[in-house]
């Protein structure tokens, strides 16, 4: 069973938990991030993004801008992701002033495009002669890809074509370089593949599809491409090793790849493009590769939080079952990319497994990436944080105990903003006669196939989801794997069909009411003994939320807590400060010993331990945090 | 209570467990290592050590040797440590052929000494003008220090002065440079301090004492010394950061230091020199600093195996309680240095705590550093090894699952050889009327104070130690902290005095027999909950031995084993292959689940798990290994 691509959801208005997050993005994150792009945010690292475009425009006009570029080689993408987020937000909540701000930024960006369609401030300002000579590190296709996504989103939100025209012209430039002129190469940081697919969905321009297919198919065919490329130039951006083909997802043609390797964000962006292409072109061989890579990630290389890329060294996948809690990288962007991948897999085949992972990554790693007030962000999302060690040592420098404001490499904050603002694209999909409900969120949705309904729920803290059908049709409702029990009714009558691939399909007419009641019991989770880090450990979940234990709720010390085998989990009070339902468990508190080791069996006293949702951690000052607790 | 320095034990002959190890060193390690030094060992990385000395001699004579140096900047020290090991071995087992080989090497080394007393092949061959200009990285004082130790040992073993004369001349050179000519600086890699103290003990040359005191006292007084030094030159050896004073143990004068930081081997070598100087000069302030640093290591930064320096990054101490099992560095040499430090602390004050640590480090990390056949060596001694992860990832590249033959940086193998060959220096010490028995080993010992006895024991696999007094006096016998119960008799009569600072002193006459029976029960060990890595874990010890669980004894899978709270430990059979007594425990074997995580409480079946001494791990092919087991 296949569904259409994401652009098909034309109307989506969220309220409730997701709606509040979308308002936070709109009212706090988007204005703050814009001020960063313009270097107007106080106490924040310089961004220079807008100024880079202004300077590039001057360079295009032949003016001398000297050392007019500042930032990372991919600095442009911050602007692109911000526009994309603003576009989605505008489609939810139209606003003249924000739209005018975006229009102004688009004008500046358009000016920075070279006459031949090339668009990249780094190379335009620094050295035009270096264009397309360092695909390994130059991020030109990456930046183009993000601007394509922004162009599609803004066109969809406003109907305005200016940025879309810019990016069609840019696509022509890329097409000319790589297809017409047959220049070799594929992007060091995949992204353009999925973006070209979006361009194709939006514009139906066949060159976009052809280019996407080209970049997917050529990748890894010449495993020495980056090596040869590097020998042709006397400069690098970061000194990346051009021979590390695993790191570059180019050790084999993508259709022959079996294992998710290398830089995690790059990997899942690539797989997203592959899956979209496979779905669009009914490419079974390509889908099979996607499926193998999906299984490599989700069955052997993924944290319980949906975090991926467990090692800081290269922000990369490690080997199977190497999932350390305390030194985890688990970049926010990587989980966002995993959600992209999952959503494109759902376009290939409806299977609740994809939505389960999407939900896990969203409610845990992605939401944890942002402070509850929307003002600070984590790149890195460890599953254990111990002040004094985390953020302090040579092996834990990256696992900060508190979210910082903005990074020089600011990929995660705007990525969170664009994902939350486009939640509806992931929550729903459709085919000609069916609406698929992958995620649960209050709001209204109208599908292109004509089906429309409102959804009411206090999810993820209440587990009753009520669909009021406004325009009838087949409604496929996901039953999450975590819900041991559930109840589904149509107008009060039980729907007894078993789920097929994780979904129960209900034929509903106008005015019908579908009610799904999911399991609200907190539950323990155990890990495979193949994961060395997690032997003898237990975690707590409720609904889609992974819980964690913080010092703030446990007398400052979670390390000495353990959870006995017969422990009960109970839903605790609502914590106003973090806006979350807590869970209590009758744990044991082990007494401390002098020094490091003892021959005395440690005493353990009864202790009611309190857990909070993982996404809320680190919002109450620096303190200990653990997802996986000791059993015993 | 103080004891005299190490050189006072004039006669020591070991049999039994230690004696066998000393024979292995003599028959296998020393010949093999000599062949490496001479580049005669097949399938082994080039050493070039002897050739470096030959080439340096030519350079001293003014001959052009071009690019005649190969190896690390401290390559000379391999020869020094080998001579030292050979010397100790000769004192145990005289042998004309080996002695003649050492004499030959000493002749070559003597030729390489410059006329002014300078001795270092790297700078002599490469660039004389760079002498003493890079104390941070140049290792000149380090290499001199090791050669001083070799000179003292060889003089002690054979009475031959040639190398001692060379090193007295070298000491004069160093004295002239640093004292007479008042050149600033202190060694980047401490070692010369402890070596100068050995030179002083051997030669009574006051300049040695003065130099040792100078290097100890000047260290850290100018925290910017290395920075200033680096600004005066346009070259580095490795690009070390001259401003990382914590790493260089120079963030404050040593008397003001409280925390063991930086490169672990350097740290404990420094502290050894400090403790020796403190003892020699009755320097209470310096001893107090040693004591604080001792506590920093042994109460907050030491593995149960006596391993120290938990992070590979810089081979260094991490922060308190950061003691990861799987990514441990725990360099063999660092534990050897810790034994040096402990032995010098025992010269300051008799306290069983020092000997307990010395024994822990020796029987676990140090012995684990060498394959049972003496042919391969670990630098790195992790407490968990999981094939597929260990040695495979960017964070575990250093935790090899099998001992390699020889390293380019070959510090550990000869260090193991010299330590084992001089075991008696650590097992015993004395003052004017007492012989102190710190460690237990079969053999004969004759003290300078006239006391003499034979010792019979099958330690560490049997716990009866019989001292037959050959020449009477006060015998202070250590009661280890790990021995919950013990029995001490003199001629069959119980000695009921309580231990004082870990020792019971018995006045014995010629012909008396003292029998010590220590606790032979295997025991569980628990860790402080301040160590995040070890919460919910338990380890097994018996006598001085830490045990571990290997796949070889446990159906290939130790990860799914856990040890319930009520488990019994039993002494198992003797394993012929590894020559060790095993321990069995009634454990649980958890069933594996599909994928990574499960909501089903895992089943656990009874399983008799077998543990072997940690020092024997990795001798039966690649397999899983764990010291700290999950409690169940």
């Amino acid at each position: 069973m296949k569904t259409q691509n994401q652009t098909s959801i034309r109307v989506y208005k969220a309220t409730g938990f997701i709606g509040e997050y979308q308002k936070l993005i709109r009212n706090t994150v988007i204005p703050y991030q814009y001020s960063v792009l313009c270097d107007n945010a106080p106490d924040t690292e310089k961004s220079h993004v807008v100024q880079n475009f202004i300077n590039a425009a001057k360079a295009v006009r032949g003016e001398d801008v000297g050392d007019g570029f500042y930032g990372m080689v991919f600095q442009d993408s911050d602007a692109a992701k911000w526009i994309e987020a603003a576009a989605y937000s505008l489609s939810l909540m139209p606003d003249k002033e924000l739209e005018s701000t975006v229009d102004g930024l688009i004008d500046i960006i358009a000016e920075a495009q070279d006459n031949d369609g090339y668009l990249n401030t780094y190379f335009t300002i620094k050295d035009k002669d270096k264009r397309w000579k360092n695909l390994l590190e130059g991020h030109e296709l990456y930046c183009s890809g993000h601007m394509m996504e922004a162009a599609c989103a803004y066109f969809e939100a406003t109907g305005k074509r200016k940025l879309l025209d810019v990016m069609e012209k840019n696509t022509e430039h890329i097409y000319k370089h790589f297809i017409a002129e047959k220049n070799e190469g594929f992007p060091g940081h995949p992204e353009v593949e999925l973006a070209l697919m979006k361009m194709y969905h939006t514009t139906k321009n066949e060159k976009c599809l052809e280019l996407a297919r080209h970049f997917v198919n050529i990748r890894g065919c010449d495993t020495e491409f980056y090596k040869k490329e590097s020998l042709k130039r006397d400069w690098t951006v970061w000194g990346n090793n051009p021979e590390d083909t695993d790191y570059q997802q180019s050790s084999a043609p993508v259709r022959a790849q079996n294992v998710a390797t290398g830089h995690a964000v790059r990997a899942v962006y690539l797989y997203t493009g592959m899956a979209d292409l496979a779905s669009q072109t009914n490419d079974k061989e390509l889908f099979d590769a996607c499926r193998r890579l999906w299984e490599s990630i989700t069955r052997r290389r993924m944290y319980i939080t949906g975090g991926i890329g467990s090692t800081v060294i290269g922000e990369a996948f490690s080997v199977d079952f190497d999932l350390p809690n305390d030194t985890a990288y688990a970049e926010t962007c990587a989980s966002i990319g995993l959600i992209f991948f999952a959503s494109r897999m759902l376009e290939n085949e409806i299977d609740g497994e994809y939505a389960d992972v999407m939900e896990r990554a969203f409610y845990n790693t992605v939401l944890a990436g942002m402070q509850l007030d929307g003002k600070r962000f984590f790149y890195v999302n460890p599953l254990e944080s111990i002040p004094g060690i985390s953020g302090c040592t040579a092996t834990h420098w990256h696992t900060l105990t508190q979210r910082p404001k903005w990074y020089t490499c600011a990929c995660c904050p705007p990525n969170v903003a664009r994902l939350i603002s486009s939640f509806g694209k992931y929550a729903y999909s459709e085919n000609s006669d069916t609406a698929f409900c992958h995620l649960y969120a209050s709001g209204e949705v109208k599908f292109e196939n004509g089906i429309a309904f409102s959804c009411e729920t206090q999810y993820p803290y209440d587990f009753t989801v009520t669909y009021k059908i406004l325009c009838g049709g087949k409604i496929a409702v996901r039953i999450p794997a975590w819900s041991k029990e559930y109840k589904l009714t149509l107008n009060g009558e039980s729907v007894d069909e078993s789920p097929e691939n994780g979904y129960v399909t209900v034929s509903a007419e106008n005015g019908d009411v579908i009610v799904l009641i999911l399991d609200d019991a907190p539950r323990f989770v155990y890990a495979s003994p193949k994961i060395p880090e997690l032997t003898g450990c237990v975690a707590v979940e409720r609904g889609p939320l992974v819980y964690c234990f913080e010092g703030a709720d446990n007398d400052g010390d979670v390390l000495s807590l353990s959870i006995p085998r017969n422990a009960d989990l109970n839903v605790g009070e609502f914590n106003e400060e973090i806006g979350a339902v807590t869970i209590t468990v009758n744990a044991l508190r082990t007494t401390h010993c002098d020094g490091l080791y003892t021959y005395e069996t440690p005493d353990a006293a009864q202790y009611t331990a309190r857990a909070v949702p993982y996404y809320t951690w680190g919002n109450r000052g620096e303190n200990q945090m653990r997802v996986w607790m000791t059993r015993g």
Side-chain angles (χ1 to χ4, degrees), chain A residues 111-177:
Chain A
E111 293 277 310
Q113 184 168 40
D114 211 340
N115 300 324
D116 62 358
Y118 185 85
L119 176 63
N120 183 293
T121 72
Y122 181 91
F123 289 97
T124 299
I125 294 170
K126 291 215 160 196
D127 193 345
K128 283 179 66 167
D129 290 340
K130 289 183 175 171
R131 285 180 181 185
W132 305 125
K133 294 207 170 65
N134 189 346
L135 298 186
L136 175 62
E137 304 173 314
H139 282 65
E140 290 156 290
L141 290 167
Y142 172 84
C143 289
S144 283
H146 273 300
M147 204 60 83
M148 290 176 193
E149 289 197 85
C152 295
Y154 199 61
F155 173 71
E156 185 186 322
T158 64
K160 291 182 179 172
R161 289 199 56 98
K162 182 163 185 176
L163 190 58
L164 194 61
D165 289 342
V166 166
M167 295 319 296
E168 282 208 88
K169 187 173 172 186
N170 183 249
T171 303
E172 284 290 342
H173 175 87
I174 296 169
Y175 187 91
K176 180 162 177 264
H177 183 81

Side-chain angles (χ1 to χ4, degrees), chain A residues 46 56 78 82 117 125 148 172 189 243 273 279 317 325 396 406-407 418 432 453 462 500 506 549-550 554 562 566:
Chain A
K46 184 163 93 165
D78 286 354
W82 180 82
I125 294 170
M148 290 176 193
E172 284 290 342
H189 195 316
E243 300 190 49
S279 159
F317 285 105
N325 294 315
H396 296 74
W406 190 262
Y407 294 84
R418 70 182 179 132
S432 58
F453 53 71
D462 185 80
E500 188 185 343
V506 179
F549 293 78
E550 276 198 290
N554 295 287
S562 62
N566 58 356

Side-chain angles (χ1 to χ4, degrees), chain A residues 305-306 335 338-339 357-367:
Chain A
T305 53
S335 288
L338 180 60
I339 291 170
V357 168
M358 195 156 70
E359 186 176 60
R360 183 175 290 282
F362 180 79
Y363 279 102
N364 300 292
T365 299
V366 175
L367 289 189

Side-chain angles (χ1 to χ4, degrees), chain A residues 17 33 53 56 190 232 280 300 360 391 504 510 524 548 620 626:
Chain A
F17 185 85
Q33 292 186 352
F53 281 104
K232 287 182 198 154
Q280 182 64 42
R300 296 182 288 281
R360 183 175 290 282
V504 176
N510 297 7
F524 288 119
C548 69
R620 291 172 292 170
R626 259 191 173 175

Side-chain angles (χ1 to χ4, degrees), chain A residues 64-380:
Chain A
D64 180 16
V65 291
D67 193 16
F69 182 89
Y70 175 88
M72 298 286 197
V73 70
F74 50 81
Q75 205 80 348
D76 292 1
S77 63
D78 286 354
K81 280 190 275 190
W82 180 82
I83 292 172
E84 191 185 349
Y88 297 138
S89 190
L90 282 168
S91 74
L92 301 168
M93 297 166 262
D95 179 272
K96 289 272 175 241
E97 194 182 326
L98 177 58
E99 189 171 326
S100 160
T101 302
V102 179
D103 286 340
L105 180 56
I106 289 172
D107 290 342
I108 290 169
I109 291 168
E111 293 277 310
Q113 184 168 40
D114 211 340
N115 300 324
D116 62 358
Y118 185 85
L119 176 63
N120 183 293
T121 72
Y122 181 91
F123 289 97
T124 299
I125 294 170
K126 291 215 160 196
D127 193 345
K128 283 179 66 167
D129 290 340
K130 289 183 175 171
R131 285 180 181 185
W132 305 125
K133 294 207 170 65
N134 189 346
L135 298 186
L136 175 62
E137 304 173 314
H139 282 65
E140 290 156 290
L141 290 167
Y142 172 84
C143 289
S144 283
H146 273 300
M147 204 60 83
M148 290 176 193
E149 289 197 85
C152 295
Y154 199 61
F155 173 71
E156 185 186 322
T158 64
K160 291 182 179 172
R161 289 199 56 98
K162 182 163 185 176
L163 190 58
L164 194 61
D165 289 342
V166 166
M167 295 319 296
E168 282 208 88
K169 187 173 172 186
N170 183 249
T171 303
E172 284 290 342
H173 175 87
I174 296 169
Y175 187 91
K176 180 162 177 264
H177 183 81
F178 288 95
I179 306 282
E181 296 174 1
K182 293 189 166 57
N183 284 294
E184 287 187 314
F186 44 90
H189 195 316
E191 150 67 22
V192 78
E193 302 85 349
L194 76 87
L196 284 163
M197 291 307 299
K198 281 195 178 177
M199 287 288 284
Y200 176 69
H201 299 315
T202 303
T203 65
K204 304 297 172 201
N205 180 337
E206 288 289 336
K207 283 184 177 171
C208 297
L209 183 63
E210 189 181 346
L211 256 180
R213 190 193 282 116
H214 170 77
F215 284 129
V216 165
N217 284 346
I218 201 172
R219 184 170 210 92
C221 289
D222 177 1
T223 56
E224 302 214 319
F225 167 72
Y226 289 128
K227 185 181 161 188
K228 293 181 206 159
E229 184 195 62
S230 72
L231 293 173
K232 287 182 198 154
R233 54 178 155 78
D234 58 359
W235 57 281
T236 74
V237 178
W238 299 298
N240 278 10
N241 173 7
E243 300 190 49
D244 190 349
T245 54
D246 274 345
Y247 189 70
Q248 294 135 12
Q249 297 92 31
S250 62
S251 58
V254 297
R255 289 158 197 278
Q257 292 186 18
N258 302 311
V259 181
T261 64
H263 189 275
V265 174
R266 299 181 192 194
V268 283
Y269 279 19
L270 171 65
Y271 309 154
T272 300
M274 287 162 60
D276 201 338
L277 180 65
S279 159
Q280 182 64 42
T281 59
N282 287 306
D283 187 332
K284 177 73 166 57
E285 185 189 41
L286 188 58
F287 172 74
D288 288 344
C290 291
R291 179 68 205 177
R292 292 193 303 273
L293 294 163
W294 172 266
E295 290 183 4
S296 172
I297 295 173
T298 61
R299 301 194 178 179
R300 296 182 288 281
R301 300 185 172 206
M302 185 180 74
Y303 287 100
I304 191 180
T305 53
I308 57 171
S310 63
T311 177
V312 62
I313 298 169
E315 309 179 317
F317 285 105
S318 179
V319 298
D320 289 349
F321 308 113
D322 180 28
L323 295 164
N325 294 315
D326 57 335
T327 60
Y329 200 68
E331 185 180 339
T332 308
C333 287
S335 288
I336 291 171
L338 180 60
I339 291 170
F340 298 162
F341 183 25
S343 75
R344 304 311 193 281
M345 290 301 275
L346 279 169
E347 288 166 14
N348 282 276
E349 60 173 1
I350 291 295
D351 192 318
E353 177 185 346
Y354 302 117
D356 285 350
V357 168
M358 195 156 70
E359 186 176 60
R360 183 175 290 282
F362 180 79
Y363 279 102
N364 300 292
T365 299
V366 175
L367 289 189
M370 185 166 67
Q371 196 162 276
L372 291 172
D373 64 5
K375 292 181 177 169
R376 290 167 176 265
F377 296 86
F378 274 139
Y379 245 56
V380 172

